[in-house]
Amino acid sequence: METPAIRTENLTRTYRRVRRPGAAVPVDDRTPFLALDQVSLEVRPGELFGLLGPNGAGKTTLIKILTTLLAPTSGQAWVDGLNVTEHPELIRPRINMVSGGETSGYGILNVRENLWLFAQIYGVSNREAKQRIDRMLEVVGLTDKAGSRVSHLSTGQRQKMNFCRGFITDPKILFLDEPTLGLDVTAARSIRRFVREWLQERPSRTLLLTTHYMAEADELCDRLAIIDKGRVRACDTPGQLKRLAQKYPLFEIQLAPHDATTNFSDLERLPGVHQVTRSDTPSAIVLKISLWEESAIGSVVPQLVAQGGRILTLKKVEPTLEDAFIELVGHGLESNGNGEAK
Amino acid sequence: MKSSFELFWRAMLARMYPRVVGLVRIPSWVLQETILPLLSVSAFVLIYRAMGAPEEYIGFVILGGAMTAFWLNVLWSMGAHFYWERDSGNLELYIMSPASLMAILAGMALGGMIFTMLRASMILLVGIGVFEVRMMPSSWLALLSVFVLTLLALYGLGMMFASLFLLWGREASHLVNLLQEPVYLLSGTNFPVRVLPTAVASIAGIIPLTTGMDAMRQILFGSEGLWPLPVEIALLAVSVVVFIEIARRFLRYFERRAREQGRLSIRWQ
Ligand SMILES: Nc1ncnc2c1ncn2[C@@H]1O[C@H](COP(=O)(O)OP(=O)(O)OP(=O)(O)O)[C@@H](O)[C@H]1O
Ligand SMILES: [Mg+2]
């Protein structure tokens, strides 16, 4: 059997709670805070695996454990078949990580020197480093800034430079924590395209990525884990997750407004129809019809026409990853406050 | 797989690089690093002259000024510097990389030495040129060995301090503050160590700066030392080995503890 690129088994991490300064009554919060709770995952070599979850879900914590920067409190994790607690020094040559919004680097160096420095600590030869740096700067469109001081870069440019840093050491397994955070649309798109290419170049490469952009996760990832409050709520392909979110095929029909008293509720009595909801706009009557099975739409349409409805538009509503996310997590990405688990 | 020596070497030179580049790109550093310390050294010299202190003491002040520059560099650019590296997110990258932290620290040390060499030679030049201090090394070889051993021991000590910063934050910088002043006194920067009570002098001897400077004074000015020269050289050599070995173990131990406590990436404490 093939060794998984990443595997975790009941991986758990707690943090000591930080005492709030100025709290009038000292709350006894000795109970540790659970940032990761029994996470079991498996990522196959060659996969582009995504972690999706609200703020404070534990994504970064998971990545820090896998990149040997944080020890698990309990449970186990393996990267390229090596245990993170027992063999961090064997894992390190094979991995790299970039996180969005990181402030690493030396302001006094220029972009090229800075990337060279972080290639050197992986033992990359000068010639190889130069080739890879040139290529990566081209990919992110930073070639004209190669000689600029890091301290003179804009936030996004700095972010692009750090993105390059992850690739110039040619890692077998790469971790990207919100790599497109704060990047403009074009830059984010070329980064996504490159990430795909990079994986295809060599099938042994694996990439684990976190993001808050649903479209990005949907477009990019082979499989996704949805994490909330330190737990994995679901783990599947984006397609499967979307199907999970929408149990029944859903159609939206817009009818021209009319004075008829019928409210189309009798549609629900048609065979194959699950539920009908009606919401009116000034310009149309909007019916959302969910069906037990898709073919039932064939009997819905004639019935509507027979009742005097004039159909303006008819479309099948495809589920989005966001629907899946809300279904699983119970709220959207934005509405979560500080992400503290109860 | 790269040989671990090659990796060590590359990592060390890479980390040294920003320090050396800084010399060229931020000329005001050079000014701050050389002119300011010259003022305090000159003040001491003038006071000693006014008091009619033995001419030997003027030499002590110049040598002390030059050597203390290294001590300050060790404290602030090695020990406390890890705190800054963590804040900026670089420490995480170093720890995550296959290079050892010893290599990173060695790079910092090397960069710091080059930087400080400039300051130290400036002080020496002014001492010899302006204050006409006469230095006659009895043996250049002995002088060089003592100098190199003293630096190695000092920077080894600095590596030890640095490891504390993996776990502690600002607390450790208090330690650095605490170490700065007494060392001026204990190491006899501006006076012969022998005027200290014997017990204190022996304790002070553990600090490589004390032993190193005492040995150099013996070589340069023919003054009487705490211990005979060969003993001091042996003491320095032992300190080098001991400090570097302790630093290696500390780094391993504190890195593990910091991973457990999640302190490698804390930005505020
Ligand atoms: N060093 C730490 N000490 C105490 N608590 C921490 C520490 N690091 C993270 N946490 C807590 O653990 C939880 C998970 O944090 P983590 O950074 O893994 O979330 P995340 O999923 O990456 O969130 P985001 O989307 O905002 O990046 C959060 O509630 C956070 O407050
Ligand atoms: Mg995060």
Side-chain angles (χ1 to χ4, degrees):
Chain A
M1 206 187 77
E2 199 180 22
T3 318
I6 296 165
R7 190 159 86 84
T8 70
E9 204 180 272
N10 299 324
L11 192 66
T12 301
R13 173 73 212 194
T14 59
Y15 288 112
R16 278 208 321 230
R17 284 179 199 265
V18 184
R19 199 174 300 135
R20 265 161 225 117
V25 187
V27 194
D28 186 34
D29 44 14
R30 291 282 162 123
T31 51
F33 173 77
L34 246 187
L36 280 183
D37 187 7
Q38 311 264 342
V39 170
S40 298
L41 283 174
E42 199 169 303
V43 180
R44 293 185 283 267
E47 250 186 331
L48 204 169
F49 192 91
L51 294 175
L52 206 55
N55 296 133
K59 305 179 293 295
T60 302
T61 303
L62 177 56
I63 287 192
K64 295 244 156 103
I65 292 178
L66 295 173
T67 51
T68 76
L69 292 171
L70 190 68
T73 307
S74 68
Q76 315 243 46
W78 294 266
V79 174
D80 206 20
L82 299 160
N83 190 296
V84 292
T85 317
E86 284 156 29
H87 301 295
E89 73 291 344
L90 295 181
I91 294 176
R92 287 170 182 169
R94 306 168 194 218
I95 61 167
N96 207 336
M97 173 194 58
V98 178
S99 33
E102 74 177 54
T103 50
S104 64
Y106 294 91
I108 196 173
L109 300 183
N110 67 34
V111 171
R112 182 180 290 286
E113 290 167 331
N114 198 64
L115 289 172
W116 167 84
L117 190 158
F118 287 103
Q120 289 300 291
I121 60 174
Y122 284 74
V124 180
S125 75
N126 287 329
R127 201 173 50 87
E128 251 175 333
K130 182 176 185 317
Q131 280 171 2
R132 291 182 192 160
I133 290 169
D134 284 340
R135 176 182 175 201
M136 287 311 300
L137 289 178
E138 191 74 47
V139 166
V140 298
L142 215 55
T143 309
D144 58 329
K145 291 280 173 190
S148 305
R149 285 228 194 135
V150 172
S151 55
H152 295 168
L153 295 182
S154 76
T155 320
Q157 288 165 340
R158 201 161 176 160
Q159 170 78 6
K160 289 177 186 175
M161 178 188 76
N162 286 326
F163 179 79
C164 298
R165 202 202 71 234
F167 292 86
I168 49 174
T169 65
D170 191 22
K172 191 169 173 195
I173 301 169
L174 180 62
F175 298 85
L176 298 177
D177 197 353
E178 300 179 43
T180 54
L181 184 78
L183 291 186
D184 65 53
V185 184
T186 340
R189 186 187 293 162
S190 55
I191 277 183
R192 283 197 291 270
R193 192 182 323 118
F194 174 74
V195 158
R196 267 273 153 230
E197 273 172 29
W198 182 79
L199 271 178
Q200 275 152 14
E201 249 171 44
R202 219 169 291 163
S204 58
R205 287 173 174 164
T206 307
L207 203 145
L208 187 133
L209 160 130
T210 78
T211 181
H212 280 126
Y213 304 120
M214 295 288 174
E216 187 170 286
D218 196 0
E219 175 194 329
L220 215 49
C221 298
D222 298 320
R223 284 196 306 142
L224 278 170
I226 294 187
I227 302 194
D228 185 33
K229 293 175 182 154
R231 287 177 154 265
V232 176
R233 304 284 151 171
C235 176
D236 218 321
T237 61
Q240 275 304 119
L241 287 172
K242 286 187 280 190
R243 248 160 270 151
L244 203 81
Q246 188 178 302
K247 296 184 187 71
Y248 311 105
L250 182 70
F251 286 86
E252 186 188 288
I253 299 177
Q254 295 198 1
L255 302 164
H258 65 111
D259 312 320
T261 46
T262 171
N263 60 4
F264 305 106
S265 63
D266 56 335
L267 286 174
E268 283 185 1
R269 283 197 292 275
L270 285 174
V273 176
H274 169 238
Q275 212 171 35
V276 178
T277 53
R278 174 179 172 169
S279 54
D280 289 6
T281 66
S283 56
I285 300 167
V286 181
L287 296 179
K288 286 225 167 91
I289 304 168
S290 82
L291 305 168
W292 294 109
E293 52 188 299
E294 208 166 310
S295 60
I297 193 70
S299 51
V300 170
V301 173
Q303 174 77 8
L304 276 175
V305 175
Q307 287 182 345
R310 273 202 305 124
I311 296 179
L312 300 175
T313 64
L314 182 153
K315 68 178 180 211
K316 181 154 190 267
V317 179
E318 293 293 344
T320 63
L321 203 52
E322 191 158 340
D323 296 329
F325 188 88
I326 292 169
E327 169 89 17
L328 286 160
V329 174
H331 52 77
L333 268 180
E334 301 77 18
S335 59
N336 190 32
N338 56 10
E340 286 241 335
K342 305 231 169 51
Chain B
M1 188 87 181
K2 296 273 185 316
S3 78
S4 51
F5 176 77
E6 187 192 336
L7 183 60
F8 190 99
W9 185 253
R10 280 183 186 278
M12 180 178 76
L13 293 186
R15 183 57 192 86
M16 182 193 82
Y17 187 70
R19 294 235 157 140
V20 178
V21 162
L23 275 179
V24 187
R25 297 201 183 151
I26 312 189
S28 66
W29 276 11
V30 179
L31 213 68
Q32 182 189 331
E33 283 290 311
T34 52
I35 307 299
L36 293 180
L38 268 181
L39 294 178
S40 72
V41 169
S42 308
F44 261 108
V45 172
L46 295 176
I47 291 170
Y48 277 165
R49 283 255 159 90
M51 293 188 330
E55 202 50 22
E56 190 187 48
Y57 280 34
I58 312 284
F60 287 5
V61 171
I62 297 298
L63 182 66
M67 291 308 289
T68 314
F70 288 104
W71 175 243
L72 290 182
N73 184 250
V74 162
L75 284 181
W76 292 111
S77 300
M78 299 263 302
H81 202 71
F82 249 34
Y83 184 64
W84 180 85
E85 295 272 24
R86 171 166 64 180
D87 258 18
S88 64
N90 292 332
L91 183 62
E92 267 193 348
L93 301 184
Y94 289 135
I95 288 184
M96 189 177 64
S97 82
S100 71
L101 281 181
M102 282 297 272
I104 303 303
L105 283 169
M108 280 186 183
L110 214 58
M113 278 184 217
I114 293 175
F115 205 107
T116 312
M117 212 71 87
L118 197 78
R119 171 169 170 175
S121 11
M122 195 69 139
I123 293 175
L124 279 184
L125 278 179
V126 170
I128 295 167
V130 179
F131 298 116
E132 295 172 333
V133 171
R134 303 240 316 279
M135 298 188 185
M136 287 296 289
S138 51
S139 151
W140 282 101
L141 183 69
L143 182 65
L144 189 71
S145 340
V146 168
F147 180 67
V148 170
L149 283 175
T150 307
L151 284 197
L152 285 178
L154 276 180
Y155 282 88
L157 198 61
M159 289 181 182
M160 257 171 65
F161 288 145
S163 67
L164 302 181
F165 279 83
L166 289 178
L167 211 53
W168 299 331
R170 279 198 291 274
E171 303 95 305
S173 72
H174 294 320
L175 176 74
V176 167
N177 264 322
L178 218 66
L179 281 170
Q180 188 175 327
E181 298 302 324
V183 162
Y184 277 129
L185 179 68
L186 287 178
S187 65
T189 308
N190 297 319
F191 56 88
V193 196
R194 270 160 22 91
V195 305
L196 291 173
T198 329
V200 180
S202 312
I203 293 171
I206 300 172
I207 304 168
L209 194 64
T210 317
T211 322
M213 281 202 309
D214 196 62
M216 281 188 219
R217 286 167 179 177
Q218 294 194 45
I219 298 167
L220 284 173
F221 308 111
S223 43
E224 205 177 321
L226 271 175
W227 293 287
L229 190 58
V231 174
E232 293 193 329
I233 291 182
L235 203 63
L236 282 172
V238 171
S239 322
V240 172
V241 176
V242 169
F243 288 151
I244 291 185
E245 181 56 23
I246 293 181
R248 221 170 53 84
R249 287 172 190 226
F250 268 24
L251 280 171
R252 220 172 23 200
Y253 174 75
F254 284 118
E255 184 194 316
R256 213 188 62 229
R257 292 299 305 273
R259 280 176 77 196
E260 283 164 9
Q261 298 183 10
R263 287 184 176 245
L264 291 174
S265 33
I266 282 186
R267 300 290 162 88
W268 322 266
Q269 291 191 340

